[in-house]
Amino acid sequence: MSVGISGMLVVVGLIFGFGSMVCCVNATKFDELFQPSWAFDHFDYEGELLKLKLDRNSGAGFGSKSKYMFGKVTIQIKLVEGDSAGTVTAFYMSSDGPNHNEFDFEFLGNTTGEPYSVQTNIYVNGVGNREQRLSLWFDPTKDFHSYAIVWSPKHVVFLVDDTPIRVHTNMEKHGLPFPKDQPMGVYSSIWNADDWATQGGRIKTDWNHAPFIASYKGFGINACECSVSVTAAENVKKCTSNGSNRFWWDEPTLQELNVHQSHQLVWVRARHMFYDYCTDTARFPVKPAECEHHRH
């Protein structure tokens, strides 16, 4: 169920433990926040339920009407049922340009009876190759589940049903860049990626099972809306706490996971993660610099 504004405040407060806050945008309706970006005829939107369709002709996607800097974006998705091999359903944030920043959820379909994989990735200044993959502790095709990205000047947190599955910490003190100066849009799409998505591309999309349907509800953006008519520096200033405005993502208690969240992340990594770029010595004979410093 999509929560209202007051419900959103309560939910975020329970998760992250803050009291008062200031925020620029706090909305939950699809048409308030998003618009179709391609393949309009592959959309089905009734009430608070949105469905995206993938067939031989096209996939489909939507994007936010505005761009944001810092905050939380949430969406509830029920993934493609049955044989979904070759398909990818994505939920992500991204800025524009060749040196863009990006935070990705990519849900990789599979053959009937085999579990979905969830791949996360982070691009900083146009450079990605930071993939992690995990299995979920539930069947994401049977019901709606919540997927969220929390972005602050201190870290990026990926959440599944409020359980953290990945944390990317600001490590500028070690000379590493961190995405905090480019406004980002919020996007989702479904497309055919059978050249790589399922078992490294060995399993191809079976179009006899088309159309493939991803269903959405529970849209939420609680973030600082940015203006396209001002500089990036002005947007950074606008979205950073100061004497007159205090944003929830700058609260001291939110600068790192609490004890319970840290235990949840350890559990996810131990029980459900099966690929981490930091440990892939074939791809990275020299361990990536952030892996040397990152605690998660």
Side-chain angles (χ1 to χ4, degrees):
M1 178 181 297
S2 177
V3 296
I5 290 178
S6 60
M8 188 71 170
L9 297 180
V10 171
V11 171
V12 175
L14 288 172
I15 296 169
F16 291 101
F18 63 86
S20 62
M21 74 166 121
V22 174
C23 200
C24 307
V25 171
N26 196 328
T28 60
K29 301 293 186 182
F30 175 81
D31 53 3
E32 292 176 357
L33 299 170
F34 298 102
Q35 58 193 3
S37 51
W38 50 288
F40 291 14
D41 60 341
H42 284 54
F43 279 75
D44 181 12
Y45 186 48
E46 297 180 1
E48 296 192 7
L49 181 64
L50 171 70
K51 295 183 178 181
L52 299 189
K53 178 173 70 175
L54 167 66
D55 57 24
R56 283 184 181 274
N57 298 317
S58 181
F62 61 84
S64 59
K65 296 178 180 180
S66 299
K67 287 186 167 57
Y68 306 91
M69 188 173 292
F70 311 134
K72 181 182 182 184
V73 299
T74 308
I75 208 163
Q76 293 179 37
I77 309 174
K78 183 166 70 170
L79 295 169
V80 176
E81 295 187 66
D83 189 341
S84 58
T87 71
V88 172
T89 304
F91 168 50
Y92 60 104
M93 299 183 72
S94 182
S95 59
D96 298 327
N99 296 318
H100 74 292
N101 299 322
E102 186 173 326
F103 313 139
D104 296 335
F105 274 105
E106 293 177 311
F107 304 94
L108 312 182
N110 216 329
T111 53
T112 302
E114 295 297 318
Y116 258 82
S117 299
V118 180
Q119 175 171 284
T120 60
N121 199 1
I122 295 172
Y123 285 75
V124 183
N125 296 335
V127 179
N129 299 322
R130 297 179 175 90
E131 299 92 346
Q132 293 181 353
R133 289 190 184 184
L134 64 145
S135 59
L136 292 167
W137 48 96
F138 52 82
D139 184 343
T141 73
K142 298 303 182 185
D143 204 351
F144 287 90
H145 291 269
S146 174
Y147 305 95
I149 299 168
V150 175
W151 176 29
S152 80
K154 295 295 184 181
H155 58 203
V156 180
V157 184
F158 293 78
L159 297 152
V160 174
D161 288 339
D162 299 332
T163 296
I165 65 166
R166 181 172 187 170
V167 178
H168 183 81
T169 304
N170 184 333
M171 291 175 283
E172 290 176 310
K173 64 182 180 181
H174 296 294
L176 301 173
F178 182 79
K180 66 175 188 178
D181 59 356
Q182 298 181 39
M184 304 175 82
V186 186
Y187 305 93
S188 187
S189 57
I190 183 171
W191 77 94
N192 178 43
D194 65 5
D195 58 330
W196 66 271
T198 305
Q199 299 181 31
R202 290 189 294 273
I203 308 297
K204 302 301 182 181
T205 302
D206 183 349
W207 294 109
N208 292 318
H209 295 288
F212 303 100
I213 304 293
S215 302
Y216 298 80
K217 65 177 184 177
F219 307 92
I221 295 179
N222 185 337
C224 183
E225 186 172 8
C226 294
S227 171
V228 297
S229 62
V230 303
T231 66
E234 289 174 299
N235 277 318
V236 171
K237 183 177 180 181
K238 172 189 174 184
C239 297
T240 303
S241 297
N242 54 49
S244 57
N245 290 327
R246 186 166 62 107
F247 294 101
W248 61 262
W249 50 82
D250 289 324
E251 291 295 293
T253 55
L254 302 181
Q255 304 313 300
E256 58 184 10
L257 300 185
N258 62 35
V259 172
H260 176 64
Q261 292 166 334
S262 296
H263 289 165
Q264 288 179 312
L265 181 60
V266 169
W267 175 78
V268 168
R269 290 183 61 87
R271 297 289 297 274
H272 295 278
M273 182 174 291
F274 59 87
Y275 177 80
D276 183 358
Y277 78 105
C278 284
T279 60
D280 190 339
T281 55
R283 285 179 68 197
F284 304 103
V286 177
K287 183 177 286 191
E290 68 264 24
C291 300
E292 296 286 355
H293 303 290
H294 224 286
R295 290 181 296 170
H296 304 297

